[in-house]
Amino acid sequence: MPSPAPAARGAHDRQAAPPTPGTALRRRLAELRGPDVPAQPLDARALAALAANPGCRRRALLDGAGVPKAELARSLGAPSAFGQSQFAFMRGHAFEARVKADGGAELLRLTHAHVGGGPEPVPGEARTADLTAAGPRGRAARTELALGEATAAGAWTLLDHPMLALDVAGTPAFLEPDAVVVAPDGTWTVVEIKSFPMIDGSADAAKVGAAARQAAVYALALEDLAARLDGPAPRVRDQVLLVCPKDFSNLPTASPVDIRKQLSVTRRQLSRLTRVEDIAAGLPPGTTFDVTRPAAELTAAVDAVPATYAPECLAACELAFHCRARSRAAGEVTALGRSLRGELGALTTVEQALAAARGEAGDPDEPVVAALRRAGALRAEALAGRSG
C-alpha cells in the first residue's frame, strides 16, 4: 500500500497530535471565562491581594482564568464599591509623564540620589530601551533582551513600562511596572510612581504599604528573569524607589522603600497557592463564569469554588460584597476577622462559638471552650448586676 503524500501525512499528524498541557489549560480557562469574554490581565495589585489571602481558591481560579471580577460582581447583584476615579487616573498619568520627561533625566537623578548605582547620570547621555513588540509575550521577551543589553552596557538605562512574566499557580501573569532603572553597576531598581503626596519626606503609611506589596511582585518577576540570563545574575535591589509629588506641588520627590519583608511574604504566599488546574478539575461539568449568563447560574458557579472571606477583602477584591453576604449567611467566624478565626480554633461558625459560651457544646477542657464559657459567665453576671 503506498504511503500517504507528505502534505496529507502532515495534516493527519497535526490532527492526531494531542494538545500540550499549557494549551489544554488555556483552553479550559477560556471555557470557564466564556468564549466571548476577553481575559482580564493579572496585574501586580491583584497578585499582591492574592498573596495576602492565599487560601482563597475562588480568587485564585477567577484571576487565573482572567474572569473580569467587577463585571461578575455586578452580574451577581453585589457590585464592588472601590476603584480609582477618572480624575485621579488622569492626574496620575500627567504626573508620571512629568517624571519621565526628557528621557527620564529627573527620574534617573532621583534614582542616583537615593539608591546610588554608579556615577551621576549625565542628562542626554542615558539610554532608553525600545520595548516595542506584539502582545504581552512578545513584550516580555523584548524586555528580557533589553535588560540583558542594558546590564552589559554598564550605563544608566531607563525601561519605561517594561513587561515582566511571572508564573502564578501554573498560569503566567504579565506585569507592567511603571519603570525599571538599570544602573552602571548592573543593579536593577523597581520604580513606583504614585500621585499621592509625600509631605515633609513621608507619605500615607497605608498607601506606601500597598505600593511596597505591588513592588515586591515586580521584584520577584525581575529575580526570575535575572536568573535566566547568561552569566552571573544581576542584583535586583530590595529597595524600591517610590516617586510622589512633593508636598502640595506637582514637583517629583522620591524615597527608597525597603521591601525585604514584602518580598519574603509574597514569595512564600504565592508558593502556597493551589495550582489553578487542580481547582478547575474539581468543578462540576459545564461550570462557567461567563458574565453574560443568568445570575442564578453564575451564583451556583461561584459558590462551587471555596472562598476564604475576611474583612480585609473589602479593600482588595471585587467579589468581597458577595462573599461577605455568603459568609454571614453561613455564620462563618471569618466574617469577623482572621485574628478571631485563629483564636477560635476548631469552632468555625458563630453558632458553635455561642453554644460553647453557653455551655451547650464543646469540651470544657479545651482552652478555647473554657475561655468562651468564662466570658459567657462574666457577661451573664454583668447583665444580672445591671438589671438588679
Side-chain angles (χ1 to χ4, degrees):
M1 178 178 179
S3 60
R9 187 166 58 243
H12 174 75
D13 291 343
R14 286 194 298 272
Q15 292 173 359
T20 63
T23 302
L25 176 59
R26 287 195 294 272
R27 184 180 303 162
R28 174 64 172 136
L29 296 182
E31 293 172 353
L32 290 174
R33 186 173 61 248
D36 301 320
V37 179
Q40 184 77 17
L42 187 58
D43 59 15
R45 183 173 299 175
L47 278 181
L50 190 57
N53 191 8
C56 187
R57 294 190 169 201
R58 181 176 297 170
R59 173 151 196 168
L61 179 62
L62 294 177
D63 281 346
V67 176
K69 296 196 300 299
E71 295 181 33
L72 178 60
R74 284 194 291 270
S75 298
L76 291 171
S80 59
F82 70 91
Q84 193 176 41
S85 69
Q86 188 65 23
F87 173 75
F89 186 77
M90 293 174 62
R91 182 181 60 189
H93 271 269
F95 178 68
E96 181 176 336
R98 177 164 188 165
V99 171
K100 295 178 179 176
D102 300 323
E106 179 64 10
L107 177 54
L108 293 176
R109 185 193 69 79
L110 290 170
T111 303
H112 174 266
H114 290 281
V115 300
E120 185 175 353
V122 178
E125 295 185 5
R127 297 157 48 100
T128 54
D130 180 11
L131 304 177
T132 305
R137 293 181 184 275
R139 290 187 57 204
R142 183 69 190 90
T143 296
E144 183 171 340
L145 180 63
L147 281 167
E149 293 172 347
T151 305
W156 287 102
T157 306
L158 172 64
L159 282 76
D160 185 5
H161 284 285
M163 183 66 71
L164 308 173
L166 183 65
D167 182 84
V168 179
T171 59
F174 294 98
L175 313 170
E176 189 175 354
D178 294 328
V180 172
V181 172
V182 179
D185 64 359
T187 55
W188 300 355
T189 302
V190 175
V191 178
E192 278 284 272
I193 302 174
K194 299 297 184 182
S195 58
F196 55 80
M198 191 176 293
I199 301 173
D200 292 333
S202 62
D204 181 88
K207 294 180 179 178
V208 172
R213 288 188 291 273
Q214 291 180 46
V217 176
Y218 297 136
L220 286 178
L222 280 174
E223 287 179 354
D224 285 355
L225 192 158
R228 294 194 300 268
L229 296 181
D230 295 332
R235 182 168 70 92
V236 180
R237 290 188 180 274
D238 51 24
Q239 283 187 321
V240 60
L241 187 70
L242 179 63
V243 181
C244 299
K246 182 179 181 180
D247 298 327
F248 300 101
S249 70
N250 201 34
L251 299 175
T253 187
S255 176
V257 178
D258 191 326
I259 59 170
R260 284 177 294 181
K261 178 181 178 181
Q262 289 82 0
L263 271 171
S264 176
V265 170
T266 303
R267 184 183 293 110
R268 182 176 66 253
Q269 298 291 63
L270 290 181
S271 69
R272 290 175 53 198
L273 290 174
T274 304
R275 296 184 68 84
V276 169
E277 59 261 44
D278 295 337
I279 304 174
L283 295 178
T287 299
T288 179
F289 304 103
D290 188 337
V291 294
T292 63
R293 306 296 297 172
E297 183 178 335
L298 286 175
T299 299
V302 169
D303 289 349
V305 188
T308 306
Y309 171 78
E312 294 85 351
C313 296
L314 293 171
C317 183
E318 294 88 340
L319 286 180
F321 287 170
H322 173 82
C323 296
R324 181 178 66 177
R326 292 297 190 186
S327 181
R328 287 177 172 176
E332 297 174 353
V333 295
T334 51
L336 304 177
R338 289 196 184 100
S339 60
L340 181 60
R341 170 68 186 89
E343 291 176 358
L344 290 179
L347 304 177
T348 59
T349 68
V350 174
E351 184 54 40
Q352 288 176 344
L354 292 176
R358 292 191 295 260
E360 300 170 357
D363 183 353
D365 293 331
E366 286 288 334
V368 171
V369 175
L372 286 172
R373 292 188 178 181
R374 175 61 176 160
L378 290 173
R379 180 178 182 273
E381 182 180 332
L383 291 176
R386 188 174 64 179
S387 61

